[in-house]
């Protein structure tokens, strides 16, 4: 089963994708994580991507499509995969369909105020990559002992720009999957547990 997870920044797409992927033995492919790894490694691609990311813009289609297709070719996903953060433009969605078969696009939805609030509270561990919620933490340390940080692009101004970018460029992707009958919308203004349960029910339905 090959799935696409769609949703605005802050909707909880990443954590949910990690969880569902492990429960269903699917490969989790996050273009955001891949780009952050490139930045951390100081590659040419990373240096290029960083400029766009820190302004709340998308990395150009040409770059991101090549990166994603190379990844799909190099990984073996016998059971299928979850694409998290791709496609983010109409062009990316069309290009993807030329190469692989997507079974369903799960769209996670929540009001903008909820998204901004979640982004403001989001922290990440620079050592192990684990995500945290600031007001649920006891202190500033991850279980691994490292001090958590706010992602540069989670700062308020950039977060607003990312939401704006999403509404402008990624919203048409929803229509694209709607037109092909693959779109499944999920109300994500709920606990992680609640959203995971809804998605599990959807996947059970799809599996039958
Ligand atoms: P979020 O879903 O919270 O916005 P991601 O980790 O998915 O965060 O992505 C972070 C940034 O990486 C995006 O704001 C964008 O600049 C870049 N990026 C990730 N995936 C893509 C993509 N498919 N196309 C273009 N840019 C991307
Ligand atoms: Zn950690």
């Amino acid at each position: 089963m090959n799935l696409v997870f769609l949703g605005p920044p802050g909707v909880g797409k990443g954590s949910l994708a990690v969880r569902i992927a492990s429960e269903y033995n699917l490969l989790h492919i996050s273009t955001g994580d891949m780009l952050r790894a490139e930045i951390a490694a100081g590659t040419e691609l990373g240096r290029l991507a960083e400029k766009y990311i820190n302004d709340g813009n998308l990395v150009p289609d040409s770059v991101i499509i090549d990166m994603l297709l190379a990844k799909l070719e190099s990984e073996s996903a016998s059971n299928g995969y979850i694409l998290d953060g791709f496609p983010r433009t109409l062009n990316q969605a069309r290009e993807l369909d030329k190469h692989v078969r997507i079974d369903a696009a799960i769209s996670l939805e929540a009001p903008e105020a909820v998204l901004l609030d979640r982004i403001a509270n989001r922290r990440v561990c620079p050592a192990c990559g684990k995500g945290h919620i600031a007001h649920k933490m006891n202190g500033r340390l991850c279980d691994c002992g490292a001090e958590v940080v706010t992602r540069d692009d989670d700062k308020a101004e950039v977060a607003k720009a990312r939401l704006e970018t999403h509404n402008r460029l990624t919203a048409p992707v929803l229509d694209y999957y709607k037109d092909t009958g693959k779109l499944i919308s999920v109300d994500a203004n709920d606990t992680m547990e609640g959203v995971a349960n809804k998605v599990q029910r959807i996947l059970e339905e799809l599996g039958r």
Side-chain angles (χ1 to χ4, degrees), residues 62-96:
S62 55
V63 175
I64 202 93
I65 290 169
D66 283 354
M67 181 185 87
L68 193 267
L69 292 179
K71 176 84 173 173
L72 287 180
E73 261 165 39
S74 73
E75 297 277 350
S76 77
S78 45
N79 225 359
Y81 44 77
I82 296 178
L83 295 185
D84 162 11
F86 189 99
R88 256 181 160 90
T89 63
L90 211 45
N91 189 27
Q92 291 178 17
R94 293 197 177 115
E95 206 53 45
L96 185 64

Side-chain angles (χ1 to χ4, degrees), residues 5 12-26 28 82 191-197 200:
F5 275 27
K13 194 162 35 77
S15 333
L16 189 74
V18 168
R19 176 173 173 158
I20 298 290
S22 94
E23 282 172 5
Y24 289 82
N25 192 23
L26 301 168
H28 173 230
I82 296 178
T191 60
M192 170 76 172
E193 206 57 37
V195 183
N197 284 334
Q200 283 157 1

Side-chain angles (χ1 to χ4, degrees), residues 82-114:
I82 296 178
L83 295 185
D84 162 11
F86 189 99
R88 256 181 160 90
T89 63
L90 211 45
N91 189 27
Q92 291 178 17
R94 293 197 177 115
E95 206 53 45
L96 185 64
D97 272 346
K98 286 184 196 159
H99 295 88
V100 297
R101 187 182 50 87
I102 296 301
D103 298 292
I106 312 251
S107 164
L108 304 170
E109 294 167 6
E112 194 143 314
V114 172

Side-chain angles (χ1 to χ4, degrees), residues 7-10 13-14 30-33 35-36 49 52-54 56-61 64 84-89 92 119 122 151 153-154 162:
K13 194 162 35 77
S30 157
T31 43
D33 286 351
L35 293 172
R36 282 185 287 276
Y52 294 96
I53 294 177
N54 290 342
N57 290 320
L58 293 184
V59 174
D61 275 350
I64 202 93
D84 162 11
F86 189 99
R88 256 181 160 90
T89 63
Q92 291 178 17
I119 293 173
R122 187 150 75 172
R151 239 167 69 180
D153 62 346
D154 277 350
R162 281 160 61 212

